[in-house]
């Protein structure tokens, strides 16, 4: 007596699909087993203390690549009130402050080549707030009340080629529409430029 196979088999089903399925399952199982093997076993000849050689050649980078992924140096971010105590330090210990700034931003090969600062909006974004550069729609923008702009100005004096980037994480209470936010943004950037005409300012909406 022949056994009768009970079940559903799709039309066009053939042994090649069966073998393909088996091969896929075996490959998946092998990958799982491979990932379960400790890395020390996979690299028995490699020790954590072994040195790793990384070769960097500036000639491999196109000379006209100015906005790509080229490494451009280190920078400082001032936001959420993080520079408030720094300005107090500048007032109480000006000599030490000047030495620190020269270490970071001075010399022919400065450690920091970019200052990114938050445009103040009187709102607590995380750890603190930055003073708003324009507290009402009718007020003229005033960047001198924001410590981040003071930090950038001091750094710019030491390195005229320093890049200063301004961003906003929020907007003042009066700036509710896109047009009002744009007005506040434009007024603040122009105020910063007019206050220190030698700044190289890049605006960003990050």
């Amino acid at each position: 007596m022949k056994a009768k196979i009970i079940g559903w088999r799709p039309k066009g089903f053939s042994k090649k699909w069966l073998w393909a399925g088996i091969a896929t399952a075996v490959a998946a199982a092998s990958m799982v087993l491979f990932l379960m093997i400790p890395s020390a076993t996979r690299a028995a000849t490699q020790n954590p203390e072994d040195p790793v050689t990384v070769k960097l050649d500036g000639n491999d980078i196109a000379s006209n690549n100015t906005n790509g992924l080229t490494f451009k140096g280190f920078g400082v971010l001032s936001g959420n009130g993080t520079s408030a105590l720094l300005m107090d330090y500048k007032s109480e210990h000006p000599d030490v402050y000047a030495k620190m700034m020269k270490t970071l931003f001075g010399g022919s090969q400065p450690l920091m080549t970019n200052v990114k600062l938050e445009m103040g909006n009187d709102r607590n974004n995380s750890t603190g707030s930055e003073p708003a550069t324009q507290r009402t729609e009718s007020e003229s923008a005033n960047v001198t009340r924001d410590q981040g702009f003071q930090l950038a100005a001091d750094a710019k004096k030491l390195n005229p080629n320093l890049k200063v980037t301004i961003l906003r994480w929020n907007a003042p209470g009066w700036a509710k529409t896109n047009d009002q936010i744009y007005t506040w943004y434009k007024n603040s950037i122009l105020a910063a430029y007019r206050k220190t005409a030698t700044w190289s300012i890049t605006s960003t909406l990050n």
Side-chain angles (χ1 to χ4, degrees):
M1 186 174 79
K2 292 184 178 180
K4 182 178 181 182
I5 299 177
I6 300 175
W8 175 83
R9 186 171 67 176
K11 276 187 176 182
F13 183 85
S14 61
K15 288 185 178 180
K16 69 175 182 179
W17 293 109
L18 175 63
W19 286 114
I22 293 174
T24 302
V26 171
S30 300
M31 180 61 69
V32 171
L33 290 174
F34 175 78
L35 293 175
M36 291 174 65
I37 299 173
S39 58
T41 303
R42 296 199 306 266
T45 60
Q46 187 176 11
N47 298 315
E49 298 81 10
D50 291 344
V52 176
T53 301
V54 179
K55 183 179 179 181
L56 300 177
D57 190 348
N59 295 322
D60 295 336
I61 302 174
S63 59
N64 60 350
N65 183 8
T66 58
N67 297 313
L69 299 178
T70 307
F71 177 73
K72 298 179 176 65
F74 295 98
V76 172
L77 172 63
S78 174
N80 301 324
T82 55
S83 298
L85 295 179
L86 187 62
M87 292 300 107
D88 291 342
Y89 200 77
K90 174 183 177 180
S91 175
E92 297 174 10
H93 307 280
D95 294 339
V96 180
Y97 174 83
K99 183 178 179 180
M100 180 193 68
M101 293 295 289
K102 288 180 181 178
T103 301
L104 294 175
F105 301 103
S108 59
Q109 298 292 330
L111 296 176
M112 303 296 169
T113 57
N114 187 294
V115 172
K116 189 172 188 177
L117 55 97
E118 175 189 1
M119 195 162 65
N121 49 67
D122 283 337
R123 294 174 182 257
N124 186 357
N125 297 315
S126 60
T127 59
S129 62
E130 295 281 327
T133 53
Q134 189 176 351
R135 292 198 161 113
T136 65
E137 192 167 7
S138 59
E139 179 190 36
S140 298
N142 181 5
V143 297
T144 60
R145 64 167 67 114
D146 190 307
Q147 56 270 10
F149 284 92
Q150 296 180 48
L151 171 66
D154 291 340
K156 191 74 173 176
K157 291 176 183 177
L158 293 170
N159 178 14
N161 294 321
L162 181 82
K163 300 300 180 183
V164 180
T165 305
I166 301 174
L167 74 156
R168 66 171 181 88
W169 286 318
N170 216 320
W174 62 269
K176 301 182 184 303
T177 67
N178 288 335
D179 287 344
Q180 289 174 322
I181 291 175
Y182 169 78
T183 298
W184 162 64
Y185 211 77
K186 181 186 70 173
N187 291 345
S188 298
I189 292 175
L190 289 176
Y193 180 79
R194 289 164 182 160
K195 186 66 180 177
T196 52
T198 58
W199 279 17
S200 174
I201 295 177
T202 303
S203 62
T204 173
L205 295 178
N206 292 342

